[in-house]
Amino acid sequence: MNRNHRIWSFMKAKGFYIALALCITGAGAAAWLTAQNTISGIRERQTQPPAVTENKEGTQWNYEDILQQQTAGESEQQKPSQQPSLSTVPDASSTTQPAAAAASQPPVKSAEPAPLCYSLPVPGTKVLAPFSNGELVKNHTLNVWRTHDGLDLAADKGAAVSAAAEGTVVSVVTDPMWGGTVTLEHRDGIQTVYCGITPEKGLKAGDNVTAGQMLGSVDTIAAEVSMESHLHFAALQNGKFIDPMTLPGLE
């Protein structure tokens, strides 16, 4: 009785660990048997000869022949070429040719305006007093020596005075010494001045005038009243008086 009690007490105390050990041992044995079966199957397949097939003509094919036929079949198959649709992909030559042609052409130069050609504002007249080019000359009206910075062109009172070249009106004024005065700016940078005239009505600064357009009529010049009737015609370049007879068309 005591012996059975001791065994029962031992099993009760150690039974869980004994059962765990048995389970681990059983699992290990099962894994070992599975591994042995797998290894044996692999060895058997390696030792077995390859399957032999027979074609329609009775010729036997071994494993190497079948492998070569399959490999050759795969290499002979060609993938379908993917060509772009002509309706969706533009022709490269059609798009590059116009651009190349445009690039090869030299840029179109805008036509430059013809050089200005000046004319006397009262043509067919004689020069009463020339440009003095900085030298002092006697002004008999004022009884002084002074430079003469323009041309005195003989013209009857009331004679038409025209623009020497196309340009823009800079000013229309009345000077107590030089009378009615019109100044034009030309596109070559030259300014022409017409003194001793009665300006055309409505002529004002900012107006564009054409060559030969009437600016006014000859009137009186107080600073040169002792001379016969004339137009005082002057020209400036870079703010300095120049000889009007050196203008293009007059030289």
Side-chain angles (χ1 to χ4, degrees):
M1 186 64 179
N2 292 332
R3 183 181 179 183
N4 293 334
H5 180 70
R6 285 197 300 271
I7 293 172
W8 171 254
S9 298
F10 177 81
M11 292 298 293
K12 186 176 181 182
K14 305 296 184 179
F16 172 77
Y17 297 102
I18 294 172
L20 180 60
L22 292 175
C23 291
I24 293 173
T25 302
W32 181 82
L33 289 174
T34 302
Q36 290 295 323
N37 292 333
T38 303
I39 293 172
S40 298
I42 293 172
R43 288 176 178 175
E44 290 177 1
R45 285 194 296 271
Q46 290 179 348
T47 56
Q48 290 179 359
V52 178
T53 59
E54 184 174 347
N55 61 5
K56 295 181 180 180
E57 297 178 355
T59 304
Q60 290 186 350
W61 300 86
N62 57 24
Y63 178 78
E64 288 75 12
D65 294 334
I66 296 174
L67 181 60
Q68 291 177 2
Q69 290 294 327
Q70 292 178 350
T71 306
E74 291 177 356
S75 63
E76 291 175 358
Q77 291 181 355
Q78 298 180 356
K79 294 183 180 180
S81 60
Q82 296 180 353
Q83 298 181 352
S85 174
L86 295 178
S87 60
T88 57
V89 179
D91 186 5
S93 61
S94 64
T95 57
T96 56
Q97 287 179 358
S104 62
Q105 294 179 355
V108 179
K109 295 182 179 180
S110 58
E112 296 182 357
L116 289 178
C117 184
Y118 291 82
S119 60
L120 291 176
V122 280
T125 61
K126 65 179 180 179
V127 177
L128 299 178
F131 179 73
S132 70
N133 196 25
E135 293 184 6
L136 298 178
V137 294
K138 183 68 177 287
N139 183 310
H140 296 282
T141 300
L142 301 177
N143 197 25
V144 295
W145 289 85
R146 59 187 301 172
T147 60
H148 191 249
D149 298 325
L151 296 177
D152 287 342
L153 302 174
D156 294 334
K157 186 174 182 179
V161 177
S162 60
E166 64 181 65
T168 303
V169 178
V170 176
S171 62
V172 179
V173 298
T174 300
D175 186 88
M177 295 292 292
W178 298 98
T181 302
V182 175
T183 303
L184 301 182
E185 176 85 29
H186 306 280
R187 54 182 165 84
D188 58 0
I190 300 294
Q191 286 187 343
T192 52
V193 186
Y194 311 78
C195 301
I197 69 173
T198 300
E200 282 288 283
K201 291 182 179 180
L203 188 67
K204 63 185 183 301
D207 289 348
N208 293 322
V209 297
T210 59
Q213 180 176 332
M214 187 172 177
L215 301 177
S217 57
V218 174
D219 199 357
T220 304
I221 301 176
E224 298 176 344
V225 72
S226 62
M227 298 174 62
E228 63 181 279
S229 180
H230 67 278
L231 169 74
H232 183 88
F233 177 52
L236 296 97
Q237 185 174 33
N238 299 323
K240 295 182 179 181
F241 286 104
I242 61 173
D243 186 355
M245 295 304 294
T246 62
L247 295 175
L250 298 179
E251 69 273 24

